[in-house]
């Protein structure tokens, strides 16, 4: 026989797809998984077998065995149906980590959110009148109580809130903004572009580092709709600087009957300085300056779900509520249910700090962080202590609030720094990141560092389990 014929004869001994699907061993898979996916996986596995036979010049029987084949198909089905969006362990110490889902939500609220999710609710139904209601009626009173504002509403996120407010209050007219506040937040959200997207004309005033009241005053005219103030969340100008504060801006704008709109970004709901985390004005303080509208995120310092919270003067909020874009940016019922529970925590500030993970993590005392770092070091040491060239040391470091919140504030912490012979820091980082439950850690000075600030109780076990697996690889 020619080589080519021999090859054909060899491959022809591989069972066909139909034949495989009829095998008794395949029936459990066909019961558990959609038929289309099983067929696809069988084809892929068969192709892999063929490839191996050809590449290594083997006989089909040396590569193919039914039990191994079926196990391979099951493996591939499981992998394809595994959730893509999944839990990870955040060992970075960045509390409001936008890439890792920003604020973890309080588990205690899950039951109530589940009820709203899986049942009907009064989402847009006024139970007193028996008529249609507004979805944010359910949190408006709470938001007003917590911020001192006259009126409130919520939309999908803060970027949406800013766009909506500008569209409703400034379309076709001018928006004045300081050149020091024309920022990009990331994800292509640039304040000057949002102003234009909202249909308004941009009037820049001042300079990058210094803007004075007279700069604003000089450009006010009949076309001016409002003055926009933006929290420079993710950068800071230092040195020879001047900016006009909210209160002063409000006084100036009032002389021309103009509203000041403030994009606060993070939106701190309570004064955290007693816990050593300071520097941010609270939403209430900003409202008290007389600003017309304040917008902020639900999932930054508030510690809630993704949302854009809008609070302020009733007449302005009513205008915003009526704008058609509002419908496109509306908040969904799960978010609203979670937001209500999170906001309720703030009725008692001690409760908020204890129950909202974001606040609890940000305010962890240094001594507690040191205790946790030692606990983590102990767990790691127990698994890896015998490995050659192993070291795990507890040392001082820095955590960050993240999410553009308190960007420059360095929050002291205690870290565990890990080194293992034969693993570079980046190989270690990849090992922890590639686990079924990924552990995301930072590289610092050529070591892999874990920050206990953002670790939850059961995360310690996961890191320990990862170390056990690592030992097996050494
Ligand atoms: C984060 C941020 C935004 C965007 O808020 P999202 O909730 O992420 O949409 C807008 N403005 C400022 C100043 C911010 O810090």
């Amino acid at each position: 026989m020619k080589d080519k014929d021999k090859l054909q004869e060899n491959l022809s001994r591989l069972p066909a797809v139909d034949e495989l699907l009829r095998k008794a061993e395949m029936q459990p898979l066909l019961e558990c998984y959609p038929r289309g996916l099983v067929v696809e996986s069988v084809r892929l596995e068969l192709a892999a077998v063929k490839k191996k036979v050809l590449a290594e010049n083997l006989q089909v029987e040396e590569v193919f065995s039914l039990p191994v084949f079926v196990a391979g198909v099951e493996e591939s089905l499981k992998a394809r149906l595994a959730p893509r969006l999944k839990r990870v362990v955040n060992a970075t110490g960045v509390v409001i980590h936008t890439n890792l889902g920003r604020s973890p939500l309080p588990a205690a609220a899950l039951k109530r959110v589940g009820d709203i999710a899986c049942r009907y609710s009064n989402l847009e139904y006024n139970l007193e009148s028996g008529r249609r209601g507004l979805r944010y009626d359910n949190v408006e009173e709470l938001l007003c109580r917590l911020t001192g504002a006259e009126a409130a509403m919520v939309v999908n996120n803060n970027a949406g809130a800013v766009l909506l407010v500008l569209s409703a209050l400034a379309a076709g007219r001018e928006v004045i903004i300081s050149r020091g506040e024309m920022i990009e937040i990331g994800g292509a959200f640039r304040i000057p572009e949002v102003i234009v997207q909202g249909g308004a004309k941009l009037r820049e005033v001042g300079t990058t580092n210094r803007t004075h009241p007279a700069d604003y005053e000089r450009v006010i005219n009949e076309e001016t709709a409002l003055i926009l103030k933006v929290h420079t969340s993710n950068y800071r100008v230092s040195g020879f600087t001047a900016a006009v504060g909210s209160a002063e801006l409000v006084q100036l704008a009032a002389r021309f009957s103009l509203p000041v709109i403030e994009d606060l970004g993070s939106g701190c709901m309570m004064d955290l300085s007693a816990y050593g985390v300071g520097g941010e004005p609270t939403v209430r303080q900003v409202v008290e300056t007389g600003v017309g509208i304040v917008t902020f995120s639900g999932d930054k310092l508030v510690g809630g779900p993704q949302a854009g919270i809008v609070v302020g003067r009733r007449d302005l909020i009513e205008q915003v509520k009526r704008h058609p874009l509002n419908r496109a940016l509306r908040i969904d019922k799960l978010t609203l249910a979670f937001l209500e529970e999170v906001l309720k925590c703030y009725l008692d500030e001690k409760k908020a700090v204890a129950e909202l993970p974001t606040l609890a993590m940000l305010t962890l005392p240094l001594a507690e962080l040191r205790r946790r770092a030692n606990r983590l070091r102990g767990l790691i040491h127990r698994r890896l202590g015998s490995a050659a060239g192993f070291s795990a040391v507890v040392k001082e470091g820095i955590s960050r609030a993240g999410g553009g919140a308190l960007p420059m504030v360095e929050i002291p912490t205690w870290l565990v720094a890990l080194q293992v012979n034969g693993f570079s820091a980046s190989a270690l980082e990849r090992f922890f990141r590639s686990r079924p439950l990924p552990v995301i850690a930072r590289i610092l000075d050529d070591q892999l560092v874990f920050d206990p600030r953002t670790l939850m109780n059961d995360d310690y076990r996961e890191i320990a389990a990862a170390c056990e697996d690592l030992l097996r690889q050494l």
Side-chain angles (χ1 to χ4, degrees), residues 115-169:
D115 270 354
I116 299 300
C118 304
R119 303 290 179 120
Y120 293 104
S121 65
N122 64 333
L123 180 65
E124 286 191 355
Y125 185 74
N126 185 319
L127 288 170
E128 270 158 42
S129 67
R131 298 198 183 170
R132 186 173 192 279
L134 295 172
R135 56 184 63 209
Y136 23 73
D137 283 352
N138 297 303
V139 288
E140 182 165 15
E141 195 187 314
L142 199 47
L143 278 169
C144 292
R145 180 186 296 275
L146 293 171
T147 64
E150 286 173 11
M153 62 179 293
V154 283
V155 290
N156 180 63
N157 61 353
N158 185 36
V162 175
L163 176 63
L164 173 64
V165 169
L166 290 173
S167 305
L169 303 181

Side-chain angles (χ1 to χ4, degrees), residues 12 37 77 89 122 146 151 168 216 235 248 306 341 377 395 427:
S12 74
L37 279 186
L77 284 165
V89 170
N122 64 333
L146 293 171
Y216 288 95
Y235 92 113
E248 200 177 349
Q306 179 187 304
E341 291 304 301
R377 196 203 80 93
K395 60 180 203 179

Side-chain angles (χ1 to χ4, degrees), residues 223-406:
E223 289 301 301
T224 308
L226 55 89
I227 297 177
L228 181 64
K229 184 158 180 61
V230 180
H231 190 284
T232 52
S233 299
N234 51 7
Y235 92 113
R236 189 149 299 171
V237 188
S238 58
F240 185 54
T241 66
V244 186
S246 307
E248 200 177 349
L249 212 48
V250 166
Q251 279 182 3
L252 173 88
R255 296 205 337 255
F256 302 90
S257 305
L258 293 173
V260 173
I261 306 301
E262 182 151 352
D263 171 12
L264 200 51
S266 213
C268 191
M269 297 295 285
M270 58 178 279
D271 184 4
L272 292 170
S273 53
Y275 301 90
V277 185
E280 285 292 288
T282 63
V283 177
R284 179 181 286 276
Q285 285 166 340
V286 177
V287 168
E288 276 167 3
T289 64
V291 159
I293 282 185
V294 185
T295 77
F296 53 100
S297 294
D299 54 354
K300 291 184 181 172
L301 272 180
V302 175
Q306 179 187 304
I309 304 174
V310 185
V311 303
R313 250 166 56 192
R314 184 175 310 283
D315 59 324
L316 297 175
I317 298 270
E318 286 307 320
Q319 247 176 289
V320 176
K321 282 182 182 173
R322 282 195 301 270
H323 193 277
L325 196 52
N326 191 4
R327 174 68 172 75
L329 295 169
R330 76 182 184 186
I331 189 166
D332 95 297
K333 61 182 175 185
L334 300 190
T335 311
L336 201 55
F338 247 130
L339 185 63
E340 186 181 359
E341 291 304 301
V342 166
L343 291 175
K344 265 195 220 149
C345 288
Y346 282 101
L347 293 172
D348 174 353
E349 294 190 346
K350 280 207 189 70
K351 187 172 155 175
V353 171
E355 293 192 1
L356 300 177
T358 299
L359 296 193
M361 288 173 179
L362 279 171
T363 58
L364 268 176
L366 207 48
E368 173 61 18
L369 285 159
R370 188 175 198 175
R371 203 184 61 74
R372 293 186 188 189
N374 277 316
R375 175 180 166 215
L376 181 62
R377 196 203 80 93
L379 284 170
I380 295 175
H381 199 273
R382 228 164 295 146
R383 268 70 180 191
L384 286 173
S386 61
F390 158 85
S391 89
V393 288
V394 170
K395 60 180 203 179
E396 286 176 275
I398 297 296
S399 315
R400 302 242 173 228
L406 310 164

